[in-house]
Amino acid sequence: RLAATRYASVADVAIGEAGALGPTFRPPDLDRGFTALCVADRTRGVLAERLVWAAPDADRAASMRAFAEAAADLAATAVEESGLDRATKERDALPSEDDSAVVPSGDDFLTAARVIVLDRQTTSRALFDAAQPERLALLSPREILDRDPAAAKSSSTWCFLGRFANAPGAPAVWSVCADVAAASSDDTLAERAESSERVAWGSARTRLAGLDRAHRDLLLHAVALQQWHRREPFCSACGAATVAHRGGSVRQCTNVESCGAAFFPRQDPSIIVVVKSRDGSRCLLGRSPRHPRGVYTALAGFVEAGETLEDAVAREVREETGVRVDASTIEYVASQPWPFPRSAMVGFVATAARGHDTDESVVVDRDELDDAKWFDRRDVARAAAVSSRHPTTDIVLRGRHDTASVMDAATAEALLEAHPDAACLVPPPGILARILIDHYLAEESPSSSSG
């Protein structure tokens, strides 16, 4: 897993492998060769893992062929089909009695479905698996109702999210906001060791990067839907109340006689960009007051009405830092939903205009950023290595492990203390800003100015 994710930071898709192949490398007490495989993607993190056993003979070449074929098969399947299947046909076909703002009926749903739980008070907190920090807690509806009977009231919207892709027979996954008594991911290891609780509350925003791909997709979907339901209780056309339909994917005006308008979830387009110097040796990063001390990231902002994405890139960079970009160099890289509050982030890289890649060209808008500056490529690469410390590597920082993300203030402070030579920290893998930074680092730096 570690090898795959590290290599995926500089390649589109990578496969990590470890095992014992044949008579030379196989321990005497092992009766067959084996390999452990992990496929990772630069933009989506870990896609799939598999333990493969070869035939119980001493033919090392045959074992290697078997493992290579298994790796190719796993990679093809993972890249094409892993993650979240939103199952929109199934969602739209939900019967009307199971398609309201209360708990869907039926014993099969209560026992077989699985549910992601967001905090009723703030959708920015979610329940995580206390034993596997890279996964969300998936509870049965019955367990949720036992813990919080109020989740059955009409004020709770149960949203259909889909099913795990490439997993035949996987249960449907829903989301709901509830008040469930559980541990906190801010508890120390010793405090949680004394508890038998298998779920723990944690920040959806700071924990997102540490989730595997399918759970990351589920959390993004769940937060986006639940926040939308909270913001759209009334019809914007006539003012009547709205109710949820189609598994929470639509809100319908209850004034059916004179209005009956239908409303769908919305995302606000935003851009995020890493700007590089003319010779590629430096990139421009900014520090938001929302981020922990020392964390610098890509520049971002909302797209205004009637504005192209490329124009938004140039405008945001100029407004926040005073730097002008060469419009002909703006290049799309990747996108990511970011429901904090409800953005659709579109990621770019760009090159500064001639004469605008100097330290003197940076004029920071203090209403937007605390700081912005040019960083040498080597310093950014060092920051990326330091900031890639990940909860699933079982790192313990100050008695905590499942919140060991650089976007957590205490973890950021610990990393800065442990690495005083680091010029800055950058967001962790899996976040679009980091994808753009890794894209920049993967590019070959020209030896001279492009002119």
Side-chain angles (χ1 to χ4, degrees):
R1 171 188 280 253
L2 184 59
T5 53
R6 289 284 175 83
Y7 279 116
S9 68
V10 293
D12 289 335
V13 178
I15 302 174
E17 183 275 335
L21 295 175
T24 304
F25 302 105
R26 193 174 66 212
D29 56 343
L30 256 176
D31 63 353
R32 56 173 62 186
F34 74 93
T35 190
L37 301 168
C38 177
V39 180
D41 178 273
R42 179 190 297 184
T43 62
R44 294 174 290 178
V46 172
L47 299 183
E49 296 175 87
R50 182 180 298 172
L51 181 65
V52 180
W53 292 91
D57 55 43
D59 190 339
R60 184 169 183 268
S63 294
M64 293 181 69
R65 283 194 298 271
F67 298 157
E69 291 172 359
D73 175 68
L74 180 64
T77 301
V79 171
E80 293 177 4
E81 301 181 10
S82 68
L84 172 65
D85 177 1
R86 293 179 180 249
T88 55
K89 297 291 186 182
E90 178 181 352
R91 179 195 67 200
D92 294 344
L94 288 170
S96 58
E97 64 269 24
D98 286 351
D99 199 21
S100 61
V102 294
V103 185
S105 62
D107 289 340
D108 287 346
F109 171 81
L110 291 175
T111 58
R114 290 295 175 264
V115 185
I116 293 170
V117 182
L118 302 181
D119 191 340
R120 179 176 287 120
Q121 304 304 317
T122 168
T123 55
S124 62
R125 290 209 315 160
L127 275 183
F128 292 83
D129 188 319
Q132 301 181 82
E134 73 278 9
R135 294 177 178 271
L136 294 159
L138 296 175
L139 306 182
S140 71
R142 190 179 299 281
E143 183 176 1
I144 294 171
L145 295 174
D146 288 343
R147 290 172 176 248
D148 180 18
K153 296 181 179 179
S154 59
S155 58
S156 298
T157 301
W158 293 70
C159 296
F160 178 85
L161 303 179
R163 297 177 182 271
F164 288 104
N166 196 32
V173 182
W174 295 64
S175 72
V176 72
C177 291
D179 185 11
V180 174
S184 168
S185 60
D186 289 333
D187 293 344
T188 65
L189 295 178
E191 288 170 337
R192 278 185 281 111
E194 296 175 357
S195 172
S196 60
E197 185 59 80
R198 60 185 180 86
V199 298
W201 288 108
S203 166
R205 185 169 186 154
T206 61
R207 294 283 300 278
L208 183 70
L211 296 174
D212 65 30
R213 183 201 166 191
H215 285 248
R216 189 186 310 162
D217 289 351
L218 283 168
L219 183 58
L220 288 168
H221 195 185
V223 172
L225 279 178
Q226 292 293 347
Q227 288 195 351
W228 172 66
H229 283 294
R230 289 193 171 197
R231 290 192 175 96
E232 306 290 341
F234 300 104
C235 175
S236 60
C238 72
T242 59
V243 294
H245 286 288
R246 298 186 198 170
S249 64
V250 179
R251 291 196 72 87
Q252 190 81 38
C253 175
T254 55
N255 181 13
V256 294
E257 293 184 357
S258 60
C259 184
F263 301 91
F264 299 86
R266 58 172 285 187
Q267 297 186 90
D268 299 329
S270 306
I271 61 88
I272 182 167
V273 58
V274 167
V275 180
K276 57 186 177 181
S277 60
R278 301 289 292 179
D279 64 0
S281 65
R282 302 199 298 172
C283 73
L284 180 66
L285 301 176
R287 211 196 84 73
S288 167
R290 300 189 306 272
H291 292 156
R293 184 178 72 88
V295 174
Y296 282 75
T297 185
L299 304 174
F302 289 104
V303 180
E304 295 195 348
E307 186 177 39
T308 67
L309 297 171
E310 293 81 3
D311 285 347
V313 167
R315 176 183 55 78
E316 284 290 344
V317 174
R318 183 178 67 254
E319 289 179 352
E320 293 187 353
T321 70
V323 172
R324 294 182 178 273
V325 301
D326 182 342
S328 67
T329 67
I330 298 173
E331 175 190 351
Y332 168 80
V333 177
S335 65
Q336 185 177 61
W338 193 251
F340 308 102
R342 58 183 182 192
S343 297
M345 303 294 293
V346 186
F348 297 87
V349 292
T351 302
R354 187 186 300 276
H356 280 263
D357 57 357
T358 64
D359 294 334
E360 294 73 22
S361 66
V362 179
V363 180
V364 180
D365 180 352
R366 300 294 177 180
D367 291 332
E368 296 287 340
L369 299 173
D370 275 355
D371 190 24
K373 53 185 166 182
W374 292 98
F375 288 90
D376 290 339
R377 178 184 289 268
R378 286 173 295 182
D379 288 338
V380 177
R382 172 64 173 155
V386 170
S387 304
S388 293
R389 300 187 68 174
H390 193 279
T392 55
T393 60
D394 217 17
I395 293 167
V396 177
L397 291 171
R398 294 182 178 176
R400 303 161 65 191
H401 75 295
D402 61 353
T403 57
S405 163
V406 69
M407 304 312 290
D408 170 72
T411 302
E413 289 291 340
L415 289 173
L416 289 171
E417 182 180 332
H419 302 277
D421 59 324
C424 66
L425 301 173
V426 295
I431 299 299
L432 183 55
R434 176 57 179 273
I435 293 168
L436 300 178
I437 290 171
D438 288 343
H439 182 88
Y440 161 72
L441 292 175
E443 292 179 344
E444 182 178 354
S445 179
S447 58
S448 61
S449 173
S450 61

